[in-house]
Amino acid sequence: MGNYNTIQGGKGYVKRSKRKKLAIDYSLNKPAPTHDGIKSVMADNLCNFSTNSELCICMVTWNMNGQVSYEDLVELFGNNRGFDLLVVGLQEVPRKDLARLLQDALVDTHELLGEATMQSLQLYVFGTKDSYMFVEEMKVDKHGVGGCGGMRRRKKGAVAISINYKGLKLVFITCHLSAHARNVEERNSQCQHISHSLFSKYCNKPYTNPAHITVWLGDLNYRLQGINTDPARNLIHRNLHKLLRSKDQLLQEAERGQIFNGYCEGTLAFKPTYKYNIGSSNYDTSYKVRVPAWTDRILFKIEDPNKITANLHCYESVDDIYSSDHKPVRAHLCLKVHK
């Protein structure tokens, strides 16, 4: 576990100070008589950043495979930057001053509000200019699991940021879980340990409310189950990858009630994001010839849908980035509060 800090709103970078313990439960699996699995939500691609929404959030997850360039970051964020918050979850980050590179790529539109890092696992929250005025409180935490996969840049675990922004409590968690198709139960266990451990030093207090929205984004590393690489690639080549959704371990485990009960995810309309030959859009041609998989995901949960409406306007892979064996995934979510 890491340090438990509160980040106070202020011009430029936010200041950390010790705070009294608070209770926030970010559990994946609160006791419930039934389980719903992950609800698939169709993105409508309609948002024009109108004033009809209280808060528009762009979220990006990317396993960088130890490589990055300024040009990749510009491509990652796109040209339409009317969103209020940008949340960037990164795995296998190279040994560079990535915060500075991100700020340079966003300098015209957004400023850094806060970050949570654990070696190669990093999470950043950016807001529009002067958005620090809307930050009432921010806390960060981290939780490591397992080893480093033999390399320091492959640290496994999760880092998280909890932010009170415009009166809404938002929790963002980026993670990198254990690899390989056979390690389903290990990934399930890691999800559960992470969700129960993050911010756990904030004692339970009766007056503390849960987050209005919780978002997990990262390389969850769930693979395709029960299909070999050739038939999987054949379906992808024929643009029939939607038929692979039933083979997705993450959706299967959620349906069994093991993880992410009550969460939502955009429909998997894009091609599996792993594993590519670096420098191309061709799937793995190494001796392992891995089965393609949707390892990189963005999931969200609204605490009370009667009070907050969440509209998903985009859920897509960013296919024009070639420096990693993963394609980034991007989501655009707008929230409307019912008064």
Side-chain angles (χ1 to χ4, degrees), residues 249-313:
Q249 289 178 341
L250 177 60
L251 297 180
Q252 289 175 349
E253 294 305 298
E255 184 68 23
R256 290 203 307 127
Q258 300 301 302
I259 50 173
F260 293 111
N261 185 40
Y263 275 74
C264 298
E265 182 186 24
T267 301
L268 292 170
F270 50 87
K271 296 177 181 179
T273 54
Y274 176 84
K275 173 181 170 78
Y276 286 89
N277 290 332
I278 294 174
S280 78
S281 289
N282 298 320
Y283 285 111
D284 180 29
T285 57
S286 73
Y287 73 95
K288 294 184 178 180
V289 197
R290 292 175 179 85
V291 180
W294 287 289
T295 55
D296 311 279
R297 312 289 276 268
I298 301 175
L299 311 170
F300 63 94
K301 184 175 185 178
I302 305 298
E303 179 65 24
D304 188 349
N306 294 319
K307 294 182 179 179
I308 297 177
T309 298
N311 293 311
L312 183 66
H313 299 295

Side-chain angles (χ1 to χ4, degrees), residues 214-278:
T214 302
V215 177
W216 283 63
L217 65 165
D219 180 359
L220 278 69
N221 248 327
Y222 285 88
R223 307 302 174 94
L224 297 184
Q225 187 76 30
I227 189 170
N228 294 325
T229 191
D230 287 338
R233 294 180 187 216
N234 183 46
L235 288 173
I236 296 169
H237 180 72
R238 294 162 56 197
N239 205 31
L240 295 174
H241 45 275
K242 65 180 181 180
L243 300 178
L244 296 173
R245 296 173 196 162
S246 63
K247 307 292 187 181
D248 180 71
Q249 289 178 341
L250 177 60
L251 297 180
Q252 289 175 349
E253 294 305 298
E255 184 68 23
R256 290 203 307 127
Q258 300 301 302
I259 50 173
F260 293 111
N261 185 40
Y263 275 74
C264 298
E265 182 186 24
T267 301
L268 292 170
F270 50 87
K271 296 177 181 179
T273 54
Y274 176 84
K275 173 181 170 78
Y276 286 89
N277 290 332
I278 294 174

Side-chain angles (χ1 to χ4, degrees), residues 155-168:
K155 180 68 178 177
K156 298 297 195 298
V159 293
I161 294 176
S162 173
I163 179 173
N164 193 321
Y165 187 84
K166 290 187 176 181
L168 292 174

Side-chain angles (χ1 to χ4, degrees), residues 34 40 45 56 63 74-75 80 94 99 116 131 137 176 182 194 209 223 240 246 248 288 309 326 328-329:
T34 60
S40 181
N45 300 308
C56 286
N63 183 320
V74 172
E75 179 71 26
N80 191 356
S131 59
E137 184 180 62
H176 192 187
R182 64 182 179 272
I194 288 168
N209 296 320
R223 307 302 174 94
L240 295 174
S246 63
D248 180 71
K288 294 184 178 180
T309 298
H326 291 251
V329 172

Side-chain angles (χ1 to χ4, degrees), residues 317-329:
S317 59
V318 185
D319 295 334
D320 292 332
I321 292 179
Y322 306 100
S323 57
S324 173
D325 52 358
H326 291 251
K327 297 298 184 184
V329 172

